[in-house]
Amino acid sequence: MDITTEILDEATIIRFSGTADGTAVAEIRRALGEGVNATSCRVVCDLSGTSYICSDALGAFISAHEEAREAGGYVYLVHPQRRIADILATTQLDRLFEVFESVEAALVR
Amino acid sequence: LHAHDRNQVLQIPSCASEVHHVQCLIQEAMEQHGYDDDACFAVKLSVEESIINAIRHGNKFDRSRCVEIRFDVNDECVCIHVRDEGKGFNPCCVPDPTSEENLAKPHGRGIMLMRAYMDEVYYADDGREVTMVKRNRADG
């Protein structure tokens, strides 16, 4: 999985590209942890390049979301591909996460 | 990693890095039998979830314990059995990960995903073995 981080004044944008399987979970968790700490717990996760996600990787996003929320911040998800959106709907995690069509839409929320 | 021909039997140590090899073998067989991308995605996800459950909850990450995977891919369906060497469990007692009290918990979604993405999922031998079936809809 390729992960890139961009730190802006208003939030940290993290772009996840490729396969979020068990071998990528530690890397995902580390990136989210750094993102949560970087900009007052405001993290925007661009999932437009993510083609697969396992439940452990979902767990990494949930943990970051809870950590950010408790500190008054957020973890937003942006533009998940159809199969990832299906997983979010199946697990009802679309009730937990706010999902946006674009990074720009998430930043002006 | 040991594999035999059509009805393949694999034994892997309780190590998450082994999952990818199993996924690749099954995906390759599915592509040869004309399964569509959605079916391949569903099986890939369910294989990972079932093996990780076997390693984590069954074998407790004990690398001296193996996970056995048996699978058969043909034109009609994919049938996969995943067996661990643990104490077993009651799949009826697994908490609902979509309930309000569990929604923000980072674990507990594997079985739910397997049931959602496969056509059949059932357990045997007190939960030590799960069988999953995905039917081929590529030809309608």
Side-chain angles (χ1 to χ4, degrees):
Chain A
M1 162 145 268
D2 185 36
I3 302 175
T4 59
T5 299
E6 181 181 3
I7 299 175
L8 306 179
D9 289 340
E10 56 270 51
T12 299
I13 301 167
I14 310 177
R15 294 182 171 85
F16 299 88
S17 297
T19 299
D21 61 9
T23 64
V25 170
E27 194 182 359
I28 293 167
R29 192 169 282 125
R30 181 187 52 74
L32 288 167
E34 290 174 0
V36 165
N37 289 323
T39 37
S40 304
C41 302
R42 298 188 298 268
V43 181
V44 174
C45 299
D46 184 349
L47 300 181
S48 60
T50 303
S51 56
Y52 172 91
I53 192 163
C54 69
S55 68
D56 278 350
L58 285 173
F61 285 95
I62 294 167
S63 296
H65 175 274
E66 290 303 287
E67 185 183 346
R69 192 181 57 79
E70 286 169 14
Y74 56 76
V75 171
Y76 291 159
L77 305 183
V78 168
H79 201 217
Q81 294 180 11
R82 174 179 63 83
R83 293 190 183 114
I84 307 302
D86 285 346
I87 289 177
L88 292 173
T90 298
T91 54
Q92 298 187 24
L93 287 171
D94 51 3
R95 288 166 45 209
L96 189 73
F97 289 102
E98 287 196 62
V99 181
F100 296 85
E101 279 301 305
S102 67
V103 169
E104 293 71 24
L107 289 175
V108 300
R109 168 71 166 82
Chain B
L1 195 71
H2 307 285
H4 306 287
D5 204 9
R6 186 167 178 270
N7 272 299
Q8 297 213 49
V9 182
L10 313 170
Q11 281 199 329
I12 61 171
S14 295
C15 179
S17 63
E18 300 286 342
V19 173
H20 185 65
H21 300 295
V22 181
Q23 287 174 316
C24 288
L25 281 172
I26 297 176
Q27 297 285 292
E28 188 179 326
M30 288 180 73
E31 286 166 13
Q32 288 171 358
H33 286 276
Y35 286 77
D36 64 25
D37 289 346
D38 282 342
C40 290
F41 180 89
V43 169
K44 179 180 179 178
L45 179 65
S46 301
V47 165
E48 175 158 5
E49 300 299 339
S50 59
I51 296 176
I52 292 298
N53 277 352
I55 291 171
R56 176 181 294 145
H57 302 296
N59 292 351
K60 309 289 186 194
F61 296 105
D62 180 350
R63 289 180 67 107
S64 71
R65 294 178 174 181
C66 286
V67 176
E68 182 180 278
I69 301 107
R70 289 175 283 126
F71 67 91
D72 179 35
V73 182
N74 56 53
D75 287 347
E76 285 75 42
C77 69
V78 182
C79 183
I80 304 158
H81 309 268
V82 177
R83 183 178 183 81
D84 64 55
E85 298 183 65
K87 292 179 178 176
F89 77 110
N90 183 350
C92 297
C93 294
V94 174
D96 175 6
T98 66
S99 68
E100 206 59 50
E101 67 269 25
N102 293 327
L103 193 62
K105 290 183 178 172
H107 296 293
R109 293 173 179 81
I111 293 175
M112 177 198 204
L113 288 171
M114 290 153 56
R115 285 182 167 143
Y117 281 84
M118 300 296 280
D119 293 310
E120 295 177 36
V121 175
Y122 50 91
Y123 285 86
D125 194 18
D126 292 329
R128 292 180 193 88
E129 180 167 315
V130 62
T131 297
M132 305 179 289
V133 177
K134 187 72 177 177
R135 282 184 275 279
N136 190 1
R137 296 186 179 86
D139 295 323

